[in-house]
Amino acid sequence: MSTLVFLEHHGNELLKPSLGVLSKAASLGDEDVAGVVIGSDVRALADEAGKFGAARVHVADDPRLEAPLAQPRVDVLAQLVRDNGYDTVLFANSVLAADVAAGLAARLDAGLNWDLTDVVRDDGRLVGKRPALQDSIYVDVGWTSEPRLALFRQGSFDPTATGGSAEVEDVNVQLEEFSTSARMVEQAHEESEGPSIEDAEVVVAGGRGLGGPENFTLVEQLAKALGGAVGATRAVVDAGWYPYSTQVGQTGKTVAPKLYIACGISGAIQHKVGMQASGVIVAINKDPNAPIFEFSDLGVVGDVHEVVPKLTELVNQRKGS
Ligand SMILES: Cc1cc2nc3c(=O)[nH]c(=O)nc-3n(C[C@H](O)[C@H](O)[C@H](O)COP(=O)(O)OP(=O)(O)OC[C@H]3O[C@@H](n4cnc5c(N)ncnc54)[C@H](O)[C@@H]3O)c2cc1C
C-alpha cells in the first residue's frame, strides 16, 4: 500500500490534525507513506513532516498556490496519484481539506469515506471506522476500488513525533486552466489570544446555563487562569452569545484536551461527541440530573456564577498571581 497524506498548513505551521493523520498512516506499517505540502514558500515545512513518519514529502511550491483554494490543490494531488501510483490518499477534515477531497474523488472517480475517526488494517484490507446514529455506534467502511480516499474528523489522532527525516521532492506544478479561474478576493483572520481550541490542553466551555453572553467573561477568566481556550455549545452560538468558531460538538469542532471544564452545559449527545475524548471532564451544573454528569470524571452541583469565579480565584492563588 502506498499512502499520500494531504498536509495542510497555516502560516509556517503544519496543522496538528494533518500530522495526526500522517502519524496514523505511518503506524499502519506501510513502506511508502508520503506527505504533500502545497502552497507558496512552503518548502521549510517539509522537514517537519519527516519527524511525523513521512518517508517522502512532495512539495508543490508555487505563487499560484498561495491562496487556500481547492481546485489547484486537486490538480497537484491528481498528478501525484497518477505519477506515483498512490493507492490511498488521506485528509484531516477542514473546510479546505473537505473541498479538496471531494474534488479529488470526482477527478479520479475514486471512493471517498468521510467523517472517519479511525482506520485499521484487517486481513490486509483497509477498514475505516465511521461513527453513526449520533455517534452511538461505529460502522466499518471499506473501498471497492483504488485510489481510496478518506477524510478523518479533526482530533482523531495525536501526532507522534518519531524523529525521522523525509526525502523531499519538488513537484512540477501543472494547473488546469479551469482551476485558475477562481481567485481569493479577501481573507480575514480572527484575532485571538492564547491557544486555539483544537490545540489547547485545557478547554473551558460555556453553555446556556451561564444565563447570558455577558457571563462568558467567567469562562474566559477561568480559561485564562488555566492557560486554556474557550469553547461553547451550539445553543449559545446559535443565540449569538459567542462565535461559531468555538462551537464544540457534532456540527462544531471535535476537541480532546487534557482537561475539559463544562460550565452550565446539559451534555446533549451532539455536544458530547465533540468532547468525549477529553482526558478529564469536569462539569459544573446546578441540576444534579443533568446528563453531563453521566460522562464526567468530576461533577460539581452548583451555580456557575458562584463556582466558576471561586475556581478562577483558587487557580490564580495557586499560581501566585
Ligand atoms: C443536528 C443537531 C446538531 C447539533 N450539534 C451540536 C453541536 O455541535 N454542539 C452542541 O453543543 N450542540 C449541538 N446541538 C444542540 C444540542 O442538542 C443541545 O441543544 C445543546 O448542546 C444544548 O446546549 P446547552 O447545554 O448550552 O443548553 P441546555 O441544554 O439548555 O443546558 C443548559 C444547562 O445549564 C444548566 N444550568 C442552568 N442554569 C445554571 C446555573 N446558574 N449554574 C449551573 N448550571 C446551570 C441547566 O441545568 C442545563 O443543564 C445539535 C442539535 C442537533 C439537532
Side-chain angles (χ1 to χ4, degrees):
M1 204 176 100
S2 56
T3 304
L4 180 64
V5 179
F6 175 68
L7 297 172
E8 195 172 343
H9 64 95
H10 279 179
N12 296 327
E13 273 184 41
L14 293 175
L15 298 189
K16 207 172 137 189
S18 300
L19 290 174
V21 171
L22 178 60
S23 299
K24 178 66 193 186
S27 77
L28 292 173
D30 305 327
E31 328 75 67
D32 191 8
V33 176
V36 56
V37 183
I38 305 174
S40 178
D41 213 5
V42 290
R43 212 164 190 288
L45 297 175
D47 291 337
E48 190 65 9
K51 294 181 199 152
F52 291 87
R56 257 199 297 178
V57 179
H58 301 281
V59 179
D61 198 336
D62 189 300
R64 293 172 297 169
L65 296 168
E66 183 166 6
L69 294 170
Q71 281 304 326
R73 283 162 173 74
V74 173
D75 292 345
V76 172
L77 285 164
Q79 185 187 333
L80 285 173
V81 170
R82 285 190 192 120
D83 294 352
N84 297 274
Y86 290 113
D87 52 44
T88 307
V89 188
L90 307 179
F91 300 82
N93 190 31
S94 72
V95 173
L96 178 65
D99 258 5
V100 176
L104 189 65
R107 189 80 67 86
L108 300 177
D109 200 15
L112 167 64
N113 275 311
W114 57 279
D115 201 29
L116 302 187
T117 54
D118 200 3
V119 64
V120 296
R121 199 188 293 285
D122 185 5
D123 243 351
R125 286 179 323 145
L126 208 60
V127 177
K129 304 282 175 185
R130 184 174 188 275
L133 299 179
Q134 298 191 326
D135 289 9
S136 56
I137 58 162
Y138 286 96
V139 178
D140 283 357
V141 293
W143 293 261
T144 53
S145 61
E146 293 177 357
R148 316 169 189 95
L149 310 188
L151 188 64
F152 292 93
R153 273 192 196 175
Q154 293 211 359
S156 294
F157 312 113
D158 279 333
T160 314
T162 49
S165 66
E167 192 185 314
V168 178
E169 287 181 18
D170 288 314
V171 179
N172 175 17
V173 177
Q174 291 168 347
L175 302 183
E176 302 285 351
E177 207 180 318
F178 57 80
S179 298
T180 53
S181 48
R183 77 192 162 87
M184 176 79 67
V185 180
E186 196 185 337
Q187 215 178 345
H189 292 279
E190 195 178 356
E191 295 298 328
S192 62
E193 276 180 28
S196 75
I197 185 170
E198 293 101 329
D199 292 333
E201 294 201 335
V202 178
V203 171
V204 185
R208 202 148 42 187
L210 285 169
E214 65 285 358
N215 294 328
F216 254 89
T217 49
L218 301 179
V219 170
E220 287 168 345
Q221 282 161 0
L222 181 56
K224 190 172 173 208
L226 291 166
V230 175
T233 62
R234 177 159 161 180
V236 302
V237 302
D238 277 350
W241 292 7
Y242 223 62
Y244 272 104
S245 57
T246 60
Q247 184 190 321
V248 173
Q250 186 186 328
T251 42
K253 291 184 173 148
T254 304
V255 298
K258 285 185 179 158
L259 172 64
Y260 190 93
I261 305 183
C263 308
I265 292 177
S266 59
I269 177 76
Q270 297 89 354
H271 186 78
K272 180 185 173 190
V273 296
M275 44 67 84
Q276 63 191 350
S278 305
V280 174
I281 298 172
V282 177
I284 303 161
N285 196 307
K286 69 175 185 186
D287 174 6
N289 297 315
I292 192 132
F293 289 131
E294 289 164 22
F295 53 92
S296 299
D297 299 288
L298 195 77
V300 182
V301 179
D303 190 325
V304 281
H305 306 100
E306 289 165 20
V307 179
V308 178
K310 191 73 197 156
L311 204 52
T312 308
E313 193 187 317
L314 289 171
V315 173
N316 283 333
Q317 263 174 22
R318 193 61 86 82
K319 284 166 48 187
S321 56

